Amino acid sequence: MKKQFLEIGKIVSTHGIRGEVRVQPWCDSGEFLTEFDTLYFHQGKEPIKIETARVHKNVVVMKIKGIEDMNAAQAQRNKILYLNRDDVELEENCYFIQDLIGLTVIDANQGDMVYGKIVDVTQTGANDVYHIEDEFGKVTLIPAIPQVIIQTDIEQGIMKITPLEGLFDLAEEIRDKPDEN
């Protein structure tokens, strides 16, 4: 079940004396966070209007309607900001990290070969890295590149991959095992 409201950042401090806050973005870029007129507090229960937002170094400086001075801004510190997924149109083959967590990862060629579940995603800049945990608790990192990720089906809860050579020891053993037919 997809969450309707997704964490997008955290207010980490104030900025200046006019009620602006500094937000640590939890998305691909700070620019993405500046695109919203409405964000939310309290898992989506409290809408807030964004008057201005701009990227400043590695944070987003944001002016929230009704926050007029440094004291009011300070009271917002450590609050999590949420977006409504209906306010975002993702490009094809782009997904929210929260939707990827928990997907079952299977072999694209041998559908009965289950590698595990996605338990985390690391954003490296060049490409994301998916953390796949098998039934024994072993975590394998796979690059989120087209040569590896063949299909992602959020609705079915699966991701089909073709692992790079040597990525999964078990996959190598099966490939190298002579056909017994």
Side-chain angles (χ1 to χ4, degrees):
M1 173 118 180
K2 293 182 190 177
K3 287 185 188 176
Q4 186 64 34
F5 293 92
L6 306 171
E7 297 93 348
I8 193 166
K10 179 180 181 179
I11 297 174
V12 293
S13 65
T14 62
H15 184 86
I17 60 171
R18 295 196 171 102
E20 289 181 310
V21 295
R22 296 169 63 87
V23 177
Q24 180 65 51
W26 293 347
C27 47
D28 288 344
S29 71
E31 284 80 17
F32 179 74
L33 188 55
T34 67
E35 297 175 14
F36 298 93
D37 296 328
T38 302
L39 291 173
Y40 301 83
F41 286 144
H42 309 295
Q43 289 90 22
K45 295 181 180 106
E46 182 185 341
I48 57 171
K49 294 292 180 193
I50 308 304
E51 292 180 355
T52 62
R54 67 187 183 282
V55 176
H56 179 71
K57 298 183 181 173
N58 62 341
V59 297
V60 175
V61 175
M62 190 175 284
K63 177 73 174 80
I64 300 171
K65 184 175 179 152
I67 310 288
E68 302 303 328
D69 60 37
M70 189 186 322
N71 290 335
Q74 182 65 25
Q76 307 310 307
R77 196 164 175 225
N78 293 321
K79 284 190 176 179
I80 306 299
L81 292 170
Y82 294 81
L83 67 81
N84 184 336
R85 76 167 52 243
D86 292 342
D87 293 342
V88 179
E89 189 169 322
L90 294 175
E91 294 177 23
E92 189 175 343
N93 297 321
C94 287
Y95 305 95
F96 291 114
I97 289 174
Q98 295 174 45
D99 291 339
L100 296 173
I101 302 293
L103 290 182
T104 299
V105 180
I106 63 174
D107 192 282
N109 299 315
Q110 301 174 36
D112 59 345
M113 167 70 72
V114 176
Y115 294 113
K117 291 191 179 290
I118 298 177
V119 294
D120 198 6
V121 176
T122 302
Q123 297 177 292
T124 65
N127 57 267
D128 290 350
V129 175
Y130 298 155
H131 301 232
I132 313 301
E133 185 175 346
D134 68 16
E135 62 184 309
F136 305 107
K138 180 182 178 210
V139 175
T140 302
L141 306 179
I142 64 166
I145 56 176
Q147 301 92 301
V148 174
I149 310 302
I150 305 304
Q151 180 186 10
T152 302
D153 189 335
I154 301 292
E155 299 302 320
Q156 295 295 317
I158 61 168
M159 177 180 286
K160 293 181 180 179
I161 69 168
T162 300
L164 297 172
E165 191 73 33
L167 200 55
F168 290 93
D169 296 334
L170 183 58
E172 279 186 34
E173 289 173 20
I174 289 173
R175 258 196 314 270
D176 296 339
K177 189 176 184 182
D179 192 358
E180 297 175 358
N181 290 336

